[in-house]
């Protein structure tokens, strides 16, 4: 079945860039997503990328997709303390539809 | 921006009791989902629902679980006889289309079974 892997923790200093990485197994995924979860809160859709794209930029967020290596990354420029959260990568299921397979989540800690 | 809303935010129940978790999806969305996240584990798919029918369900979604759209706005998840291992955060989501359409999640209901 599908599997999505992420590193568990990332610590950065305020103002630096953060890069959160994700690897996935399903080469037929059409969309890949990044969700943000703050403590005690729900899953906030941050951005998503269609599989025929290499890059997508949205303000401070840059998503890079390497389809050959099945590697997805999320770069946050000028990281702020408010960016501290858990970031989940998710891919769509092989069978189509909108069933998502989530990664384990990366906890981003932003230090002053 | 339209949101998915879930109630209650926290539900405590005794083992063996029935619980109903409620969700109001985004109004022009047609596809609805339940996911759950056991503490410290991945977010897992439970069920998808469209046109008053279950489209797909996971192995987790056994006979103890059911979903319903009782009216034009609510979408509910019922657990018939709760077990300790049902303790988790339950997320409702909705999307406009069946595929290639991002899921928007609610803030979740934390279910604690004692």
């Amino acid at each position: 079945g599908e599997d999505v892997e992420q590193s568990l923790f990332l610590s950065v200093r305020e103002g630096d860039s953060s890069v959160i990485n994700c690897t996935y197994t399903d080469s037929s995924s059409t969309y890949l997503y990044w969700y943000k979860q703050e403590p005690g809160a729900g899953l906030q859709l941050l951005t998503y990328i269609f599989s025929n794209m290499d890059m997508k930029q949205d303000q401070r967020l840059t998503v890079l997709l390497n389809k050959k290596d099945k590697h997805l990354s999320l770069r946050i420029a000028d990281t702020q303390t408010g960016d501290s959260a858990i970031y989940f990568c998710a891919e769509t299921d092989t069978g189509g539809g909108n069933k998502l397979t989530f990664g384990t989540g990366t906890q981003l800690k932003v230090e002053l | 921006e339209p949101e998915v809303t879930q109630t209650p935010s926290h539900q405590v129940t005794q083992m063996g009791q029935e619980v109903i978790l409620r969700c109001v999806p985004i109004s022009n969305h047609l596809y609805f989902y339940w996911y759950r996240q056991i503490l410290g584990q991945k977010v897992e798919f439970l069920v998808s629902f469209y046109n008053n029918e279950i489209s797909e369900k996971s192995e987790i979604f056994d006979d103890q679980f059911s979903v319903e759209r009782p009216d034009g706005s609510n979408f509910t998840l019922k657990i018939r006889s709760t077990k300790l291992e049902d303790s988790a955060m339950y997320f409702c989501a909705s999307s406009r289309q069946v595929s290639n359409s991002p899921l928007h999640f609610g803030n979740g209901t934390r279910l604690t079974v004692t």
Side-chain angles (χ1 to χ4, degrees):
Chain A
E2 298 83 11
D3 196 20
V4 180
E5 296 293 334
Q6 300 177 238
S7 53
L8 291 179
F9 298 103
L10 177 65
S11 181
V12 299
R13 290 200 176 186
E14 190 177 39
D16 288 351
S17 292
S18 310
V19 179
I20 302 171
N21 294 301
C22 170
T23 57
Y24 60 96
T25 56
D26 185 357
S27 57
S28 63
S29 287
T30 50
Y31 279 90
L32 295 127
Y33 299 87
W34 284 103
Y35 285 88
K36 176 184 180 183
Q37 185 181 36
E38 296 184 46
L43 297 164
Q44 177 195 351
L45 177 65
L46 277 182
T47 187
Y48 57 99
I49 188 167
F50 188 50
S51 58
N52 68 354
M53 296 169 65
D54 298 323
M55 184 181 92
K56 181 179 179 182
Q57 187 151 5
D58 183 1
Q59 299 181 333
R60 291 191 298 122
L61 304 178
T62 304
V63 180
L64 293 177
L65 176 61
N66 181 330
K67 217 178 165 188
K68 174 175 164 286
D69 295 337
K70 297 179 197 163
H71 182 266
L72 182 74
S73 67
L74 174 70
R75 179 177 179 269
I76 306 172
D78 187 25
T79 314
Q80 302 297 307
T81 53
D83 294 324
S84 292
I86 299 176
Y87 290 80
F88 291 94
C89 168
E91 63 168 350
T92 48
D93 182 68
T94 305
N98 261 334
K99 182 178 152 189
L100 297 182
T101 299
F102 282 83
T104 49
T106 299
Q107 180 154 8
L108 175 64
K109 183 178 176 185
V110 182
E111 297 173 326
L112 295 171
Chain B
E1 188 175 322
E3 290 183 340
V4 175
T5 55
Q6 290 186 243
T7 53
S9 56
H10 192 186
Q11 173 94 44
V12 181
T13 190
Q14 288 192 325
M15 200 166 52
Q17 296 295 305
E18 175 184 285
V19 293
I20 297 176
L21 309 183
R22 302 179 191 279
C23 170
V24 178
I26 294 173
S27 62
N28 64 348
H29 285 188
L30 300 176
Y31 299 86
F32 315 117
Y33 314 83
W34 284 101
Y35 284 74
R36 81 170 184 192
Q37 185 183 29
I38 294 173
L39 187 65
Q41 297 186 22
K42 289 187 179 186
V43 178
E44 302 172 288
F45 169 78
L46 290 179
V47 66
S48 58
F49 189 88
Y50 167 69
N51 200 25
N52 283 320
E53 285 185 348
I54 290 174
S55 307
E56 188 175 356
K57 59 183 181 180
S58 71
E59 290 174 356
I60 304 165
F61 195 89
D62 62 23
D63 292 343
Q64 293 298 312
F65 291 88
S66 61
V67 289
E68 194 179 26
R69 186 144 162 90
D71 53 45
S73 59
N74 289 285
F75 179 52
T76 61
L77 174 70
K78 183 194 288 186
I79 309 175
R80 217 176 317 277
S81 177
T82 49
K83 302 188 279 285
L84 294 176
E85 53 266 37
D86 294 327
S87 295
M89 185 76 108
Y90 288 81
F91 292 106
C92 174
S94 68
S95 66
R96 197 178 303 173
Q97 298 169 29
V98 69
S99 61
N100 305 331
S101 176
L103 271 65
H104 294 262
F105 284 82
N107 281 338
T109 294
R110 180 168 297 286
L111 176 65
T112 302
V113 182
T114 62

